[in-house]
């Protein structure tokens, strides 16, 4: 049943990109949806758009990476 609603979910997310074109969660959700549908190129495009809107610190500032083990 859920698999039959992927197209409906995509339509809602596409509408959301028109309403809020700078909302990264919409593009991240689209990326996840496309991964579920087996569309890796579309997923990559959606994730890339989210990254363009709000870059993560790890990609823009290598010094921002927090080590897992910190010395005492």
């Amino acid at each position: 049943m859920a698999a039959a609603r992927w197209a409906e979910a995509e339509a809602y997310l596409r509408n959301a990109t028109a309403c809020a074109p700078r909302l990264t969660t919409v593009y991240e959700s689209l990326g996840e949806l496309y991964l579920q549908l087996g569309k890796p190129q579309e997923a990559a495009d959606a994730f890339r758009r989210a990254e363009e809107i709000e870059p993560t610190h790890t990609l823009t500032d290598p010094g921002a990476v927090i080590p897992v083990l910190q010395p005492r």
Side-chain angles (χ1 to χ4, degrees):
M1 181 175 170
R5 304 212 48 190
W6 288 120
E8 185 180 347
E10 182 181 8
Y12 281 114
L13 289 169
R14 285 282 165 210
N15 286 338
T17 63
C19 293
R22 306 247 343 127
L23 187 61
T24 58
T25 54
V26 173
Y27 294 98
E28 292 167 349
S29 297
L30 266 173
E32 293 293 330
L33 178 134
Y34 288 135
L35 286 176
Q36 290 292 323
L37 291 175
K39 297 180 176 182
Q41 185 58 50
E42 289 87 344
D45 292 342
F47 288 130
R48 190 174 302 112
R49 180 67 182 127
E51 184 66 24
E52 289 170 357
I53 295 168
E54 190 175 312
T56 59
H57 296 292
T58 55
L59 295 177
T60 59
D61 182 12
V65 177
I66 300 170
V68 175
L69 300 174
Q70 296 182 4
R72 293 182 183 197

